[in-house]
């Protein structure tokens, strides 16, 4: 959004958002994505367009609530929503805090989460903030720029398709371990309302402009999803996948005490243009490191994507196969993720960050859970 621009997400803009939200969604489940899009279409049709506001438009006396889909996206496709889950989650958090929400912000703007935020804002009659708490995708609920800024994830209100509503209060580092079993017992997915904060703290902590970025990625641009992005992502090279290697055991890693989905995978890409380098992508749930002829070329917390050269769509690591031609693209993470605290948080749950920047604080490379300083509790 530009200063003075008034934007509302109507049916046409929703389609742009839905397309653009797939850019950051490596591994998105197609059936759940389609179900979420149908859900958002129905919400816009029933409640009308959703106002899109800048983070700075909210004052210190206004409360913003973060929303996210938790659990398995595949479970969402199997157990379809009733339509009331987002509103019940937000209302439960409002009751716990003793005041009404004034706006909704997505935890991230990838695939189902971007669409869920639209559903929540529409059904609750609230504006949607142009920003999110990640600027990219990370697997754990506490892995956000809100946590880096000292905003507590709890209380977390969960609403399930079975009609359950649960409010969880715990230290930020314990929330993930408490919430996951609840979501599993409830059928595999739930809507969470969390990270309640006032407008002033939101402005300081949010990654701004991510909804507008997704809208830009969803507009027709002759096959280039990043044509309208500022700053532009970095393109490492184009090549053909020559090998895909998995670990012998597919069991999830439990390093750091929190299991990560997926399994360690290596993808080898032979560059077909330019320097004809050999890229090796090391992945666990997402691509964490790219080596070019053995030298680090990119690493998390920046987001590393493989785009199919045929249609410029994101290719999930689990769907990578020899023979596919891909482009390797690096989307810079928000500055907060490159601070020592941000790197430690991004490494929580077993993600090991290997930075190609030798000047980076060496403490930022340690995979330590962010328990040293507990974020302060949100009070109203």
């Amino acid at each position: 959004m530009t200063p003075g621009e008034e934007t509302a997400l109507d049916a046409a803009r929703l389609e742009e958002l839905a397309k653009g939200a797939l850019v950051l969604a490596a591994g998105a489940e197609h059936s759940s994505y389609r179900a979420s899009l149908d859900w958002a279409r129905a919400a816009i049709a029933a409640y009308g367009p959703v106002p899109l506001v800048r983070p700075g438009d909210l004052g210190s006396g206004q409360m913003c609530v973060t929303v996210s889909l938790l659990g398995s996206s595949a479970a969402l496709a199997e157990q379809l929503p009733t339509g009331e889950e987002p509103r019940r989650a937000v209302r439960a958090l409002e009751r716990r805090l003793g005041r009404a929400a004034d706006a909704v912000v997505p935890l991230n703007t990838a695939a189902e989460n971007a669409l869920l935020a639209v559903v929540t804002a529409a059904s609750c009659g609230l504006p949607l903030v142009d920003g999110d708490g990640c600027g990219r995708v990370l697997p754990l609920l506490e892995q956000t720029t809100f946590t880096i800024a000292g905003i507590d994830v709890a209380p977390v209100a969960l609403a399930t398709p079975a009609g359950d509503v649960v409010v969880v209060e715990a230290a930020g580092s314990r929330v993930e371990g408490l919430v996951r079993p609840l979501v599993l017992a409830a059928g595999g997915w739930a809507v969470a309302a969390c990270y309640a904060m006032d407008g002033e703290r939101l402005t300081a902590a949010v990654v701004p402009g991510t909804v507008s970025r997704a809208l830009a990625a969803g507009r027709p641009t002759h096959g280039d999803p990043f044509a309208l992005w500022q700053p532009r992502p970095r393109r490492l090279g184009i090549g053909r996948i020559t090998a895909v290697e998995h670990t012998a055991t597919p069991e999830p890693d439990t390093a750091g005490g929190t299991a990560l989905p997926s399994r360690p995978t290596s993808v080898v890409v032979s560059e077909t243009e330019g320097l004809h380098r050999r890229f090796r992508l090391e992945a666990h749930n997402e691509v964490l490191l790219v080596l070019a002829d053995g030298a680090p070329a990119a690493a998390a917390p920046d987001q590393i994507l493989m785009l199919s050269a045929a249609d410029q769509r994101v290719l999930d690591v689990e769907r990578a196969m020899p023979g596919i031609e891909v482009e390797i693209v690096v989307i810079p993470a928000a500055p907060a993720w490159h601070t020592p605290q941000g790197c430690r948080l991004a490494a929580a749950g077993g993600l090991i960050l290997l930075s190609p920047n030798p000047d980076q604080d060496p403490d930022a490379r340690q995979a330590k859970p962010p328990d040293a300083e507990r974020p302060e509790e949100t009070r109203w």
Side-chain angles (χ1 to χ4, degrees):
M1 295 177 68
T2 58
E5 180 184 3
E6 295 294 334
T7 303
L9 295 175
D10 56 14
R13 286 182 179 267
L14 174 64
E15 299 303 319
E16 294 176 353
L17 177 65
K19 182 179 178 181
L22 287 175
V23 171
L24 297 180
E29 180 72 30
H30 181 72
S31 56
S32 64
Y33 166 77
R34 296 300 305 181
S36 299
L37 178 54
D38 289 342
W39 192 4
R41 287 168 174 161
I44 294 293
Y47 302 106
V50 172
L52 185 64
V53 299
R54 292 178 294 271
D57 292 341
L58 299 179
S60 58
Q62 294 178 292
M63 184 176 79
C64 185
V65 170
T66 307
V67 293
S68 178
L69 176 71
L70 297 185
S72 165
S73 57
L76 171 63
E78 294 171 1
Q79 188 172 5
L80 295 175
T82 66
E84 293 297 314
E85 293 87 353
R87 182 161 47 194
R88 288 191 288 111
V90 171
R91 297 300 182 238
L93 188 58
E94 289 175 332
R95 288 193 298 271
R96 164 61 185 83
L97 297 174
R99 61 168 298 166
D102 298 291
V104 170
V105 64
L107 189 76
N108 63 61
T109 48
E112 296 93 351
N113 261 346
L115 300 172
L116 174 66
V118 174
V119 173
T120 306
S123 61
C124 293
L126 298 172
L128 180 66
V129 173
D130 187 9
D132 67 40
C134 293
R136 46 153 301 149
V137 178
L138 286 162
L140 306 181
L141 187 58
E142 67 265 24
Q143 289 177 302
T144 65
T145 56
F146 301 147
T147 298
I148 296 172
I151 301 168
D152 202 341
V153 60
V156 179
L158 303 175
T160 77
D164 313 301
V165 175
V166 181
V167 177
V168 176
E169 295 196 55
S173 59
R174 285 175 45 79
V175 167
E176 186 79 24
L178 293 171
V179 164
R180 281 199 183 196
L182 290 172
V183 172
L184 184 61
W189 73 272
V191 173
C194 51
Y195 287 111
M197 69 198 90
D198 63 29
E200 184 176 354
R201 301 192 76 190
L202 171 72
T203 302
V206 75
V207 180
T210 55
V211 176
S212 290
R213 186 177 69 175
L215 285 166
R219 295 183 185 123
T221 53
H222 305 289
D224 182 359
F226 306 114
L228 301 177
W229 280 32
Q230 293 296 333
R232 295 288 295 275
R234 181 162 57 101
R235 299 177 184 271
L236 291 184
I238 297 177
R240 194 171 301 279
I241 297 176
T242 56
V244 179
E245 305 166 2
H246 299 290
T247 56
T249 55
E251 288 81 4
D253 182 21
T254 55
T258 305
L260 285 174
S262 187
R263 55 182 173 172
T265 302
S266 298
V267 179
V268 179
V269 177
S270 295
E271 193 173 23
T272 54
E273 299 179 0
L275 299 176
H276 295 277
R277 295 166 293 180
R278 178 187 170 100
F279 293 107
R280 187 177 184 90
L281 287 69
E282 301 293 349
H284 191 183
N285 195 57
E286 64 171 291
V287 179
L288 301 176
L289 174 69
V290 179
L291 302 174
D293 289 338
D302 291 342
Q303 186 149 22
I304 303 162
L305 302 175
M306 289 187 294
L307 302 182
S308 169
D311 58 13
Q312 288 291 292
R313 294 193 177 189
V314 177
L315 178 67
D316 178 30
V317 172
E318 293 294 320
R319 294 183 174 91
M321 293 186 298
I324 298 178
E325 189 175 14
V326 297
E327 182 174 18
I328 304 170
V329 175
V330 181
I331 300 176
W337 290 116
H338 288 286
T339 64
Q341 184 185 2
C343 285
R344 285 194 297 271
L345 181 60
L351 290 178
I352 306 300
L353 308 185
L354 301 175
S355 172
N357 180 3
D359 297 325
Q360 186 176 11
D361 184 343
D363 289 340
R365 303 174 194 164
Q366 301 300 317
K368 298 177 181 178
D371 292 335
E373 296 181 6
R374 180 190 171 194
E376 63 186 72
E377 182 181 0
T378 302
R379 298 183 183 275
W380 299 100

